[in-house]
Amino acid sequence: MRIKARLFAAVFLALPLPGWACDLALVLAVDVSGSVDATEYRIQMDGLAAGLRDGVVSEALVNAQAQVTLIQWSGRARQEISIPWTPTRTFDEVEALAQAVETAPRPWRNFSTALGEALLLGLNQITEGPVCKRRVIDLSGDGPSNEGVEPATLKRLMRQADVTVNAIAIEQSEPELTAYFYEHVIEGEGAFVETARSFRDYPEKIRRKLVREVARKTASIQPLPDPMGRPAILPHIEASEGGLGEIVLGRADSAKQF
């Protein structure tokens, strides 16, 4: 079955982008495939919520006026936007996000690991979401992709959209997963893999990962608004399971969601 996704990625071409709405757009993509049992799922969600509440992380999110969304992912055609784009402009908003993560219901329990599909959904969310200076997909998983789009084929799309993909490899049953994520998954300047040897390590590792990717310094140079008031040029990217497809330039006001 061919899988197509229309993605709209902002690029610096002939016209500058408008001013940034925020410093960071962050997609949290959590593995809920069949290899993750109920206890391990709870460890992931509670650990992620605790990481968001960490003093360094929460302060960095507020300072960045960050926007955060949560994806839960499993097999092909089984990826869900569990929490839509949520602002973290205040500490109360960060706490509300952490509570939403803790209480988010699990959508699936017994399906495969379609890692590329999760990345496609994350990329779609970012390119159709808030206009932010930094765009990061934070993916956690406990196994290599075994269904759907091969994640390595998406690296070019990530570069086109200026999206950084970081990962946390939970090596409980896959001792070579960190190496796999380095080769097939992560992308972008400064991209990295954090390794958790087991699910018990996950809470501390996700906290370290969030500190590393959220609390970095913001760039000092801001793009200037277009004096003509024109929208940014966006490339329309059509991706399929068989290849990356063509890139066609279009403007933001002509974007259609599919």
Side-chain angles (χ1 to χ4, degrees):
M1 176 180 177
R2 291 175 64 85
I3 300 169
K4 295 185 178 180
R6 296 199 173 215
L7 308 169
F8 299 91
V11 293
F12 295 98
L13 295 173
L15 300 176
L17 291 173
W20 303 111
C22 68
D23 178 66
L24 174 66
L26 177 64
V27 175
L28 302 171
V30 177
D31 183 356
V32 296
S33 59
S35 58
V36 178
D37 66 25
T39 298
E40 293 163 349
Y41 173 77
R42 193 70 266 149
I43 290 173
Q44 283 191 99
M45 303 305 282
D46 290 349
L48 182 54
L52 292 168
R53 291 187 175 110
D54 178 84
V56 174
V57 174
S58 59
E59 184 172 2
L61 288 170
V62 171
N63 288 340
Q65 299 288 280
Q67 296 271 348
V68 183
T69 183
L70 174 71
I71 290 172
Q72 297 188 70
W73 61 274
S74 181
R76 182 166 50 197
R78 291 183 174 88
Q79 299 83 38
E80 175 187 274
I81 301 167
S82 299
I83 300 175
W85 286 112
T86 301
T88 58
R89 298 162 298 194
T90 67
F91 291 106
D92 286 344
E93 288 183 339
V94 176
E95 174 58 27
L97 173 63
Q99 291 180 18
V101 170
E102 285 177 323
T103 58
R106 180 175 185 169
W108 304 283
R109 296 178 184 274
N110 300 308
F111 293 97
S112 300
T113 304
L115 212 159
E117 308 292 329
L119 291 175
L120 268 179
L121 178 58
L123 181 56
N124 219 14
Q125 280 291 96
I126 281 183
T127 55
E128 296 180 359
V131 180
C132 298
K133 185 192 307 178
R134 291 188 289 132
R135 288 117 66 92
V136 176
I137 297 174
D138 177 335
L139 181 139
S140 62
D142 75 337
S145 189
N146 56 27
E147 186 175 81
V149 174
E150 170 56 42
T153 65
L154 303 177
K155 286 176 175 281
R156 179 186 167 204
L157 293 181
M158 298 299 176
R159 289 193 297 271
Q160 290 281 353
D162 194 24
V163 171
T164 298
V165 180
N166 299 322
I168 180 167
I170 307 168
E171 293 191 333
Q172 185 156 304
S173 58
E174 295 285 346
E176 302 301 322
L177 190 59
T178 295
Y180 173 86
F181 278 4
Y182 265 110
E183 182 175 356
H184 296 273
V185 176
I186 67 170
E187 179 59 40
E189 183 179 357
F192 65 93
V193 180
E194 188 76 42
T195 303
R197 298 302 178 190
S198 70
F199 277 92
R200 290 190 303 274
D201 295 337
Y202 180 88
E204 172 58 21
K205 297 299 184 177
I206 191 63
R207 186 196 70 81
R208 285 165 48 93
K209 185 168 184 289
L210 287 169
V211 168
R212 186 171 174 181
E213 63 197 356
V214 173
R216 60 179 277 188
K217 293 181 179 179
T218 59
S220 60
I221 300 176
Q222 301 279 347
L224 297 175
D226 183 0
M228 301 295 294
R230 294 170 293 187
I233 291 179
L234 302 174
H236 159 68
I237 308 171
E238 182 171 297
S240 68
E241 192 169 3
L244 293 176
E246 296 296 323
I247 299 174
V248 181
L249 294 181
R251 294 194 178 275
D253 53 2
S254 66
K256 296 181 180 178
Q257 185 171 351
F258 291 81

